[in-house]
Amino acid sequence: MKKQVVLYKKLSPSLMARLHEQAEVTLIESLDAQGLAKLRDALPRAQGLLGASLKLDAELLDLAPNLEAIASVSVGVDNYDIDYLTERRILLSNTPDVLTETTADTGFALILATARRVVELANMVRDGQWTRNIGPAHFGSDVHGKTLGIIGMGRIGEALAQRGHFGFGMPVIYHSHSPKPAVEQRFNARYGSLDELLQQADFVCLTLPLTAETEGLIGARQFALMRPETIFINISRGKVVDEAALIQALSERQIRAAGLDVFEREPLNHDSPLLQLDNVVATPHMGSATHETREAMARCAVDNLLAALAGQRPANLVNPLAWR
Ligand code: 8YV
């Protein structure tokens, strides 16, 4: 008897074919009101769920009494109540490794684009405003040799440190739960307290997960520790930052600029004050968004889901206490 799987993220034809071979599949085409109603109707029969970018809270999952496994097409798992899932022995999996390099590339794209004002100057050319050799009013800041500060030294943080150290000759200071000697050896990195990093880094980069502990971690006090030439980069989660404090720090030039791929609420409202500031580069949560990487993530999620539904431990199990 094929298991009942509900997808709330479209998959490639080859992955859809693979799923159809081994499961009865219901596809929720979009997460608009109609799609969410269709999802709620499908949950009572769902044994497996696969998707991303949707908060699956207890209120919703109480509608799914037969649910055995959720495969998230993401590395971040802040959309899930892990204690609830573990209590119900629902196996949650994610897709950690396949997106590391792509997301770190995005981090460096934001570092370079923000420091060298690439978006602003490219728009100037496109708008026919390049009428003479550019001067100091349009100069950016160097990246090579500057101090790279990384808050959260997980897979993505390490990949960012690799790029900074080997690619741009940047001294690396990092802050995480505990020192990581291997990282310090590989990238000549040094561990610092959060305050030391904020005071010393030329680029302050957030690469840590959103948890109860990290929510609101970077607020007015933290921005006040940074220097006027500091550039702030966020490729983690928007809610790790007090966005109102960020807007104030940027408006008052407490910091030089910000490169942001994530926001407190997404999609970012077009009337957000962030979009009125000329020292902000804002991108649409594109961290892992390449053809290759999103296909690899989806493939990993399908592997995780089919394993769980076949009674095997998924390779990327987030809540091992549910496995017993
Ligand atoms: C996207 C991410 O949200 O993996 C994560 O945690 O934030 C991004 O990769 C996700 O891939 C959406 O499918």
Side-chain angles (χ1 to χ4, degrees):
M1 182 76 169
K2 287 183 176 181
K3 293 288 177 85
Q4 295 289 332
V5 166
V6 177
L7 295 185
Y8 53 99
K9 186 179 186 68
K10 287 179 187 164
L11 299 179
S12 64
S14 61
L15 286 176
M16 284 302 285
R18 185 155 158 240
L19 263 183
H20 278 295
E21 281 172 13
Q22 305 193 43
E24 292 298 331
V25 179
T26 302
L27 174 62
I28 310 297
E29 298 273 354
S30 73
L31 294 176
D32 57 14
Q34 190 178 359
L36 289 174
K38 185 178 173 186
L39 174 67
R40 296 176 80 93
D41 288 344
L43 283 175
R45 65 177 180 273
Q47 293 164 291
L49 283 173
L50 186 148
S53 310
L54 177 66
K55 200 146 190 75
L56 292 182
D57 56 20
E59 184 272 330
L60 202 55
L61 296 184
D62 281 349
L63 298 176
N66 303 302
L67 192 59
E68 301 171 21
I70 300 173
S72 188
V73 189
S74 68
V75 65
V77 289
D78 46 283
N79 276 330
Y80 309 95
D81 181 338
I82 293 173
D83 291 340
Y84 169 88
L85 295 175
T86 301
E87 180 62 32
R88 284 193 52 188
R89 296 183 63 183
I90 297 169
L91 301 179
L92 174 65
S93 59
N94 67 345
T95 61
D97 300 305
V98 290
L99 54 65
T100 299
E101 299 303 326
T102 298
T103 306
D105 286 351
T106 301
F108 246 86
L110 281 172
I111 286 171
L112 289 163
T114 308
R116 300 299 306 279
R117 302 169 61 180
V118 172
V119 176
E120 178 191 353
L121 296 180
N123 287 341
M124 182 182 84
V125 175
R126 187 195 56 199
D127 297 344
Q129 303 300 314
W130 183 27
T131 56
R132 64 176 66 87
N133 289 341
I134 63 172
H138 294 102
F139 290 171
S141 315
D142 276 334
V143 173
H144 62 273
K146 294 289 183 68
T147 298
L148 177 61
I150 299 173
I151 302 174
M153 190 50 78
R155 299 174 185 87
I156 295 170
E158 278 192 43
L160 209 56
Q162 180 183 26
R163 285 154 177 77
H165 176 67
F166 292 112
F168 291 83
M170 299 173 86
V172 177
I173 179 172
Y174 74 99
H175 179 72
S176 64
H177 275 307
S178 56
K180 304 215 169 184
V183 166
E184 295 173 18
Q185 187 174 13
R186 281 176 64 198
F187 308 125
N188 192 26
R190 61 188 168 90
Y191 183 86
S193 71
L194 180 58
D195 286 8
E196 285 169 343
L197 186 154
L198 297 173
Q199 290 166 325
Q200 297 173 23
D202 297 304
F203 293 90
V204 173
C205 303
L206 287 188
T207 61
L208 73 182
L210 175 62
T211 65
E213 180 190 21
T214 65
E215 186 165 0
L217 180 70
I218 308 296
R221 189 186 82 80
Q222 287 70 30
F223 286 117
L225 289 174
M226 300 178 199
R227 290 168 288 129
E229 60 272 22
T230 300
I231 291 177
F232 180 70
I233 302 294
N234 192 1
I235 56 170
S236 63
R237 286 289 186 271
K239 289 184 178 176
V240 176
V241 180
D242 174 340
E243 202 160 279
L246 169 60
I247 291 165
Q248 184 165 355
L250 288 160
S251 305
E252 296 175 358
R253 305 288 173 177
Q254 269 187 314
I255 60 174
R256 171 158 297 164
L260 308 169
D261 190 45
V262 288
F263 306 88
E264 277 185 354
R265 275 171 295 283
E266 298 179 3
L268 183 65
N269 284 332
H270 184 245
D271 61 2
S272 166
L274 285 170
L275 300 180
Q276 314 310 317
L277 295 169
D278 62 5
N279 54 347
V280 169
V281 173
T283 52
H285 200 148
M286 55 177 263
S288 60
T290 63
H291 295 292
E292 301 89 341
T293 293
R294 285 296 174 86
E295 179 65 8
M297 290 168 67
R299 191 179 312 115
C300 176
V302 167
D303 289 345
N304 285 329
L305 184 64
L306 292 179
L309 295 179
Q312 297 153 12
R313 182 177 172 131
N316 307 105
L317 183 60
V318 173
N319 58 338
L321 293 179
W323 177 261
R324 49 183 186 268

